[in-house]
Amino acid sequence: MPLDQRFKGVGAALITPFDEQNEIDYPGLKRLIDLVTEGGTDYLVVQGTTGESPTVTSKEKLDILAFTIKNNYKKLPIVYGIGGNNTQEVLNTITETDFTGVDAILSVCPYYNKPTQEGIIAHFTAIADASPVPVLLYNVPGRTVINMKADTIVKLAAHPNIIGIKDAGGSLEQSMELAARAPEDFLLLSGDDNLVTTMVSVGWHGVISVIANAFPKEFHDLTWAALEGRFKDAAKLQLAFLEFDTLLYIESNPVGIKKCLEIKGICSSDVRLPLLKASKELGEKLERAMIREGFM
């Protein structure tokens, strides 16, 4: 099969806007969808972990998905987050979900349980067998405590319904190994915004991005400059985001990026417990960085 071009480039890992009553802020979500779409984002990722999926109810998830599909005026491809550490519950969720308008699912490596690599393979094989749409794996050992090794990913890539991976492992060595060993039709997508240029330079195909929520045009230009081989242009933009990327995660994701969106007037910076809104100090640092880099 050829590489699925729908998910090449930049996918925006959409945050979930909340109002002061901790309810979903749908006007804010509409403004966010418009912002990332107008900025050149290639596809939308709904209810990944950046969307605070652990504290969004099952009903809210489906409502957010339906709202995003309805307001997706450019009909961009949509990736929907369905994952967890209870395999049977993930399978039940797949069975209960209407996939009309959904092009793929993003499924995170099981967290907390600390399965073996063989357990990870069995988990994702069951999900891929059950899913009516293609599956993108998500490796994020900083949150799940376990790394999907390259051998494991390559074995899973042989499944006809597993089409790629979002990898936020931060290991350039593993990134290069995957670029060398993965099938040519297997999508390699960075989950680390600060490594996009480097990963594309060794054969990766794009990024599922946090930064693209607030700065979609800049991140689109960065990613496609790298994909088109204009690495000098890509590096200039990548380095402009270097300090900024660090600031975003000081108080955990998506606290920082929500503050940026508040500064831009898209939505409030409210988050759900156990997360807290950005501190005054962090907000001031982010605003100064946005002004300095011309990201306002």
Side-chain angles (χ1 to χ4, degrees):
M1 293 175 61
L3 188 80
D4 195 326
Q5 298 292 324
R6 293 176 298 174
F7 309 115
K8 189 174 180 179
V10 181
L14 298 176
I15 61 101
T16 300
F18 299 120
D19 60 25
E20 292 181 354
Q21 286 71 46
N22 236 345
E23 300 295 329
I24 308 298
D25 172 17
Y26 285 105
L29 181 55
K30 173 67 164 59
R31 289 190 293 272
L32 176 65
I33 294 168
D34 290 347
L35 176 69
V36 300
T37 301
E38 290 160 10
T41 296
D42 297 291
Y43 57 99
L44 307 175
V45 180
V46 180
Q47 279 303 295
T49 48
T50 297
E52 295 177 71
S53 55
T55 53
V56 175
T57 69
S58 298
K59 182 181 184 304
E60 287 174 331
K61 285 181 171 71
L62 292 174
D63 289 345
I64 290 166
L65 175 62
F67 184 87
T68 303
I69 292 170
K70 181 180 178 180
N71 289 277
N72 179 20
Y73 70 91
K74 276 197 175 180
K75 305 303 178 187
L76 298 177
I78 287 180
V79 177
Y80 184 49
I82 300 181
N85 62 345
N86 180 338
T87 308
Q88 187 57 54
E89 185 176 348
V90 176
L91 298 179
N92 292 345
T93 301
I94 289 171
T95 300
E96 295 162 3
T97 299
D98 178 1
F99 284 90
T100 304
V102 176
D103 297 279
I105 65 170
L106 178 67
S107 197
V108 70
C109 186
Y111 43 84
Y112 192 83
N113 306 28
K114 297 181 73 173
T116 63
Q117 297 297 306
E118 290 76 15
I120 292 171
I121 291 171
H123 171 83
F124 281 118
T125 297
I127 290 171
D129 286 346
S131 176
V133 297
V135 176
L136 291 166
L137 311 173
Y138 182 17
N139 186 38
V140 56
R143 287 180 178 265
T144 63
V145 196
I146 186 130
N147 178 48
M148 269 196 282
K149 296 180 180 179
D151 282 344
T152 299
I153 295 165
V154 170
K155 288 176 182 176
L156 285 167
H159 193 292
N161 204 33
I162 297 177
I163 62 168
I165 185 167
K166 172 188 177 182
D167 192 284
S171 169
L172 291 176
E173 183 177 357
Q174 179 159 308
S175 299
M176 289 188 287
E177 184 177 357
L178 284 171
R181 295 181 56 197
E184 290 185 3
D185 63 350
F186 191 71
L187 282 154
L188 299 173
L189 305 171
S190 175
D192 291 310
D193 285 336
N194 61 335
L195 294 179
V196 175
T197 300
T198 304
M199 292 170 81
V200 169
S201 75
V202 296
W204 284 56
H205 305 110
V207 59
I208 292 179
S209 171
V210 173
I211 289 177
N213 277 279
F215 313 106
K217 183 182 185 304
E218 293 85 353
F219 229 73
H220 172 272
D221 291 350
L222 184 164
T223 303
W224 280 97
L227 287 168
E228 293 168 359
R230 294 181 285 110
F231 289 106
K232 186 175 181 179
D233 294 336
K236 183 178 179 180
L237 283 165
Q238 189 80 75
L239 293 172
F241 276 112
L242 186 60
E243 178 195 0
F244 194 82
D245 187 79
T246 301
L247 289 173
L248 287 180
Y249 303 102
I250 288 175
E251 296 179 7
S252 197
N253 185 49
V255 171
I257 198 66
K258 279 194 160 184
K259 184 62 182 180
C260 295
L261 287 164
E262 183 175 77
I263 292 167
K264 295 189 75 165
I266 301 300
C267 61
S268 82
S269 60
D270 288 284
V271 292
R272 282 181 174 172
L273 289 170
L275 297 179
L276 294 174
K277 290 174 63 169
S279 64
K280 181 180 178 182
E281 180 184 9
L282 177 59
E284 290 172 349
K285 287 180 178 179
L286 285 167
E287 187 163 9
R288 285 197 297 269
M290 289 168 67
I291 291 169
R292 184 175 58 251
E293 299 298 344
F295 292 158
M296 294 295 286

